[in-house]
Amino acid sequence: MANDQEEYNTEKKDESVTEEVTENKPVENTKDDTKTEETKETLEPTKELLEQIKDQIEFYFGNVNMQRDKFLTEQIKLDEGWIPLSVMLNFNMLATMTTDCDVIVKSLESSELIEVSEDKKKIRRSLKFPLPTYNEEYRKAQEAKTVYMKGFPLENMNIQKLKTYFNQYEAYENIVMRKYLDKDKTLHFKGSIYLQFKTLDDAKTFMARKSVKYNGSELIRKWAADYNAERASEKEERKQRIQEARNKKTEAALKDSKSIDNVHLPKGAIIHMKGMPEDCTRNIIRSHIDVFSVPIAYIHFESGDKEAWIRFQEENSAKTVLDNLPNNMIRIEGADVTCRVLENEEEQKYLDEVKKYISDLRQRHKNRSESKKNRTGHKGGRKRPATSPADHEPTKTAAVE
């Protein structure tokens, strides 16, 4: 049997990416090629160990791993495919099984895939089994004999347990443990795997079984192609829902901007505030103004600013608020904030910039929609829609101290 690959989820979205597991990556070899008393096997290797070593090496040189293993791909170009055993011992998983080159050679005596050099110091993939062309046709053929399975324990599960379990079934070529990274960058098993069989007939025989259980629990089985199609469909549906939500937000923003743009903005409805306290927010300002029961259209303020502008919905409502403020002052978070009503040219300048912002917003959205339609033949896209006029106001230069 072959060794495994593990599937990592490196994003918060529901996407899994297959990568080579750490145990298969080469590390610096600190061991001498010459057998020493410390590294020599003191006992005759068991048949089980020899089989595991053979499986591991056949995995390294197998179609699945060679498709993605850049290190081995480069190594086989150096000496007609021959790889020194000293290089092979740089692979963690193999090194945990044995560091004795004689044991490795012995394990490969029954292998059809791997050849051993005459001096027994090198190995290579047999020339009888040339690597396939890794194209779309190959990918589909591999997917066709792959099964998705779910229902394994989330804890205390490893690849060796899975290999031992699946040895009772049809011959398989690869096991992918699906995993994800949590916020602490720690890998966790999802409880599901991809199991790739050696042949399509083996996969069909396995899928034809009435029941497959692990520790008494029935496992969910699907063809990988069907499962991947379901995932792709779900992903597309999520994208559509997100886009629909964005479109609705944009439509609401445009509707709001259109209604405001076509209606005369109320005069006498803007208060300028000066001397804002540290750590002030729009919500804090709103909580102090709401007590006057005057509808607010927008609060123009960013955290850290020393000034703020409040635009009300009703004509002359700013004066109504100001008349209720002793000495035109309001106490906010321990600070005395000075308030005044924008009037005449200063007020008109501010209102003109509000109208200009709304007009620009509508034009930007129109241009973006037309551009996307020209590129894709339909409206929509991935960029964020224009922000609602309720989220922005003109620059602070609109009002003068």
Side-chain angles (χ1 to χ4, degrees):
M1 297 299 173
N3 191 18
D4 69 299
Q5 294 277 317
E6 295 192 5
E7 185 171 59
Y8 295 3
N9 186 345
T10 57
E11 286 185 16
K12 292 185 180 179
K13 319 174 202 170
D14 188 21
E15 289 295 311
S16 296
V17 181
T18 303
E19 295 183 0
E20 185 177 9
V21 291
T22 305
E23 64 190 22
N24 292 336
K25 293 183 179 178
V27 294
E28 183 179 357
N29 189 8
T30 59
K31 298 179 176 61
D32 194 286
D33 292 343
T34 305
K35 291 181 293 181
T36 65
E37 290 300 318
E38 181 179 357
T39 60
K40 183 185 289 186
E41 299 289 342
T42 58
L43 297 174
E44 185 71 16
T46 64
K47 182 179 179 180
E48 180 182 12
L49 176 60
L50 292 175
E51 189 68 22
Q52 289 178 355
I53 294 171
K54 185 188 76 168
D55 287 349
Q56 188 65 35
I57 293 176
E58 287 185 342
F59 168 76
Y60 290 145
F61 288 90
N63 294 344
V64 174
N65 188 62
M66 290 301 296
Q67 182 179 3
R68 67 189 98 246
D69 194 323
K70 295 181 180 179
F71 176 76
L72 271 182
T73 300
E74 292 301 318
Q75 289 293 311
I76 63 175
K77 297 177 182 178
L78 303 179
D79 184 18
E80 297 182 339
W82 292 108
I83 309 293
L85 289 176
S86 58
V87 172
M88 295 306 303
L89 288 175
N90 288 332
F91 288 82
N92 292 343
M93 178 60 79
L94 179 60
T96 62
M97 296 178 181
T98 184
T99 56
D100 190 327
C101 294
D102 288 344
V103 173
I104 294 176
V105 170
K106 184 175 179 63
S107 74
L108 296 174
E109 290 177 353
S110 62
S111 176
E112 295 183 4
L113 181 65
I114 307 300
E115 295 179 359
V116 179
S117 63
E118 291 185 4
D119 61 7
K120 301 186 184 304
K121 292 183 178 181
K122 301 176 184 179
I123 61 174
R124 72 177 178 184
R125 177 173 170 135
S126 174
L127 300 182
K128 299 177 183 178
F129 302 99
L131 287 170
T133 301
Y134 294 117
N135 52 22
E136 183 63 15
E137 182 180 356
Y138 171 83
R139 187 197 68 78
K140 288 183 177 180
Q142 297 301 94
E143 185 183 51
K145 58 182 182 179
T146 300
V147 172
Y148 165 82
M149 302 184 70
K150 181 179 180 181
F152 296 96
L154 300 179
E155 304 294 335
N156 300 318
M157 178 56 68
N158 56 48
I159 194 66
Q160 193 56 51
K161 290 182 179 179
L162 289 170
K163 289 169 65 177
T164 300
Y165 170 74
F166 282 109
N167 282 342
Q168 64 183 300
Y169 296 110
E170 287 68 30
Y172 63 87
E173 191 170 24
N174 190 37
I175 299 175
V176 176
M177 292 183 72
R178 302 183 65 244
K179 296 187 177 183
Y180 69 94
L181 284 171
D182 63 16
K183 62 181 180 180
D184 297 321
K185 306 300 181 183
T186 301
L187 278 171
H188 299 278
F189 180 41
K190 287 185 172 183
S192 59
I193 68 168
Y194 285 113
L195 179 63
Q196 182 176 311
F197 290 90
K198 287 193 173 182
T199 68
L200 180 57
D201 286 340
D202 286 337
K204 289 180 177 179
T205 300
F206 179 80
M207 288 297 285
R209 293 178 180 275
K210 291 183 178 181
S211 177
V212 177
K213 296 182 178 181
Y214 187 88
N215 289 346
S217 298
E218 187 69 30
L219 296 173
I220 295 173
R221 291 174 290 160
K222 296 181 180 180
W223 287 108
D226 294 339
Y227 175 70
N228 292 337
E230 290 174 8
R231 290 180 65 198
S233 177
E234 290 170 358
K235 182 180 178 181
E236 185 60 31
E237 288 177 3
R238 285 197 299 271
K239 287 173 61 177
Q240 290 181 4
R241 288 197 297 270
I242 292 172
Q243 188 58 51
E244 288 173 1
R246 288 175 176 172
N247 290 341
K248 287 181 180 180
K249 183 177 180 181
T250 302
E251 290 171 4
L254 291 175
K255 182 178 180 180
D256 181 56
S257 66
K258 182 177 180 180
S259 62
I260 294 175
D261 197 39
N262 292 336
V263 175
H264 174 70
L265 293 175
K267 292 289 189 73
I270 303 170
I271 285 183
H272 173 240
M273 308 176 75
K274 185 176 180 181
M276 308 306 296
E278 296 290 337
D279 301 324
C280 189
T281 65
R282 293 184 190 180
N283 287 337
I284 291 175
I285 296 174
R286 182 180 296 276
S287 66
H288 284 78
I289 300 300
D290 279 345
V291 299
F292 302 110
S293 300
V294 178
I296 297 173
Y298 186 78
I299 297 175
H300 179 195
F301 176 79
E302 297 293 338
S303 180
D305 290 349
K306 295 299 180 182
E307 297 176 285
W309 287 259
I310 303 178
R311 180 162 58 87
F312 297 97
Q313 298 179 19
E314 299 173 354
E315 196 93 7
N316 296 319
S317 53
K319 187 176 183 303
T320 300
V321 174
L322 208 66
D323 288 343
N324 287 279
L325 299 178
N327 300 319
N328 295 342
M329 304 278 288
I330 187 171
R331 190 81 172 171
I332 299 179
E333 298 295 288
D336 290 326
V337 178
T338 303
C339 302
R340 65 187 179 89
V341 177
L342 294 190
E343 297 178 323
N344 303 323
E345 293 182 2
E346 185 180 11
E347 177 188 36
Q348 190 58 53
K349 182 178 180 181
Y350 190 94
L351 293 177
D352 287 345
E353 290 205 13
V354 172
K355 292 180 180 180
K356 183 177 183 301
Y357 170 79
I358 294 172
S359 176
D360 290 345
L361 173 68
R362 295 175 64 192
Q363 189 59 47
R364 285 198 304 271
H365 181 268
K366 181 180 179 181
N367 293 342
R368 188 184 299 112
S369 297
E370 290 177 352
S371 176
K372 290 175 183 175
K373 186 175 182 180
N374 291 336
R375 290 198 307 268
T376 65
H378 59 83
K379 294 184 179 180
R382 297 184 64 182
K383 291 186 177 180
R384 295 179 61 185
T387 310
S388 165
D391 293 332
H392 291 281
E393 284 281 330
T395 60
K396 298 184 186 66
T397 55
V400 186
E401 185 177 339

